[in-house]
Amino acid sequence: MTVLEAIQKRRSVRKYRPDSVPEEVLRRVLEAARLAPSGKNLQPWRFILVRSAETKERLARASADQTFIAEAPLVVVACADPESSYARMGRYMKSWTVDVACALEHLMLQAAAEGLGTCWIGAFEEGAVKALLDVPDGIRVLALTPLGYPADDPDFGGRKRLEEIVFYERYGSFKTSNSSRWK
Ligand SMILES: Cc1cc2nc3c(=O)[nH]c(=O)nc-3n(C[C@H](O)[C@H](O)[C@H](O)COP(=O)(O)O)c2cc1C
C-alpha cells in the first residue's frame, strides 16, 4: 500500500470490534509515530496506551461521553512535554502541538494501512484525563484515539477541492484553469 492509498483509506472510525491488536501490529503503528518529524528533532511526544476497560470508560466520559472510545481494545492518549519542544516556531510559538499532531497522524496512517481504525478525539477535558492517568504537571494532553478493528465502514466526508485551497505565488492568488494568467 502506498502512503496515498493509506491516506485515502483512513476514516474516523466510531464503531469497533473487541478483537485485540496483535503486538507486532501495535509495534509497527507505534514505530510510525516514533519516526515522525519534530521541531529540532526534540520529539516531545509521549503516548499512554490504555487497555483497562474501566479506564477506557472513564476516558470516554471525560471526552464528552463519546462512548465508542471505550469499545476499542486500546486507547492511545497522545501527550507532550512542551518544555522539551522547539520554542520559536515561526518566531511566535512552541512546536509541541504540531510535533504531536505529526506523530499521531503517522500513527493513524500506519493503523489504516494495517486495517485498523482510529478517530482523533479532541473533545476531552484535559484535567480529567490527566487525573485519570497520573499525567504530571507540565505535561499536556493533545488528543486521544481509540485503536482497534473497525466494526463499520464510514463514508468519506468529502474535502474542499484543490482549487479552493491552493494559491500560487501569493495568498489569495488562484491560477486560472485555462491560461497562465493570474487572478
Ligand atoms: C483536532 C480534531 C479534533 C477532533 N475531535 C473529534 C472528536 O472529539 N470526536 C470525533 O468523533 N471526531 C473528532 N475528530 C474527527 C473529525 O470529525 C474527522 O476527522 C472529520 O470529520 C473528517 O472525517 P474523516 O476523519 O473520517 O476523514 C477530530 C478531528 C480533529 C483533527
Side-chain angles (χ1 to χ4, degrees):
M1 182 178 288
T2 66
V3 174
L4 184 59
E5 283 166 348
I7 289 168
Q8 288 166 333
K9 187 169 181 224
R10 188 208 58 79
R11 295 278 181 278
S12 289
V13 172
R14 299 183 177 90
K15 225 170 176 328
Y16 290 89
R17 306 203 320 251
D19 319 48
S20 60
V21 179
E23 274 309 308
E24 67 274 15
V25 175
L26 177 60
R27 218 180 153 76
R28 287 195 293 271
V29 167
L30 294 172
E31 178 69 356
R34 188 179 78 87
L35 296 176
S38 60
K40 280 196 166 174
N41 199 21
L42 288 169
Q43 306 159 62
W45 43 68
R46 307 288 182 267
F47 297 98
I48 306 172
L49 307 183
V50 178
R51 287 195 173 91
S52 148
E54 190 184 333
T55 311
K56 285 187 297 176
E57 275 158 30
R58 289 185 179 183
L59 285 173
R61 279 206 290 280
S63 304
D65 280 321
Q66 299 185 81
T67 49
F68 67 87
I69 294 169
E71 280 176 14
L74 208 61
V75 177
V76 179
V77 182
C79 305
D81 180 355
E83 288 314 306
S84 45
S85 74
Y86 174 48
R88 302 192 65 233
M89 194 175 68
R91 301 293 173 264
Y92 72 93
M93 70 183 288
K94 287 187 194 262
S95 68
W96 62 274
T97 53
V98 174
D99 299 332
V100 179
C102 286
L104 190 54
E105 179 66 357
H106 270 207
L107 180 153
M108 290 175 153
L109 291 178
Q110 182 61 27
E114 301 277 359
L116 288 161
T118 56
C119 183
W120 189 294
I121 301 294
F124 62 89
E125 296 295 330
E126 190 195 28
V129 171
K130 287 183 66 164
L132 263 173
L133 304 177
D134 290 337
V135 177
D137 287 347
I139 302 296
R140 303 300 304 264
V141 179
L142 187 81
L144 288 64
T145 180
L147 180 69
Y149 292 97
D152 71 354
D153 186 12
D155 292 335
F156 177 53
R159 292 294 189 272
K160 292 176 182 167
R161 291 174 301 116
L162 272 183
E163 290 73 16
E164 296 176 86
I165 60 171
V166 179
F167 301 138
Y168 291 84
E169 307 301 341
R170 62 181 66 86
Y171 193 94
S173 173
F174 294 104
K175 198 176 184 178
T176 55
S177 55
N178 57 357
S179 80
S180 58
R181 290 192 304 115
W182 305 95
K183 278 198 214 176

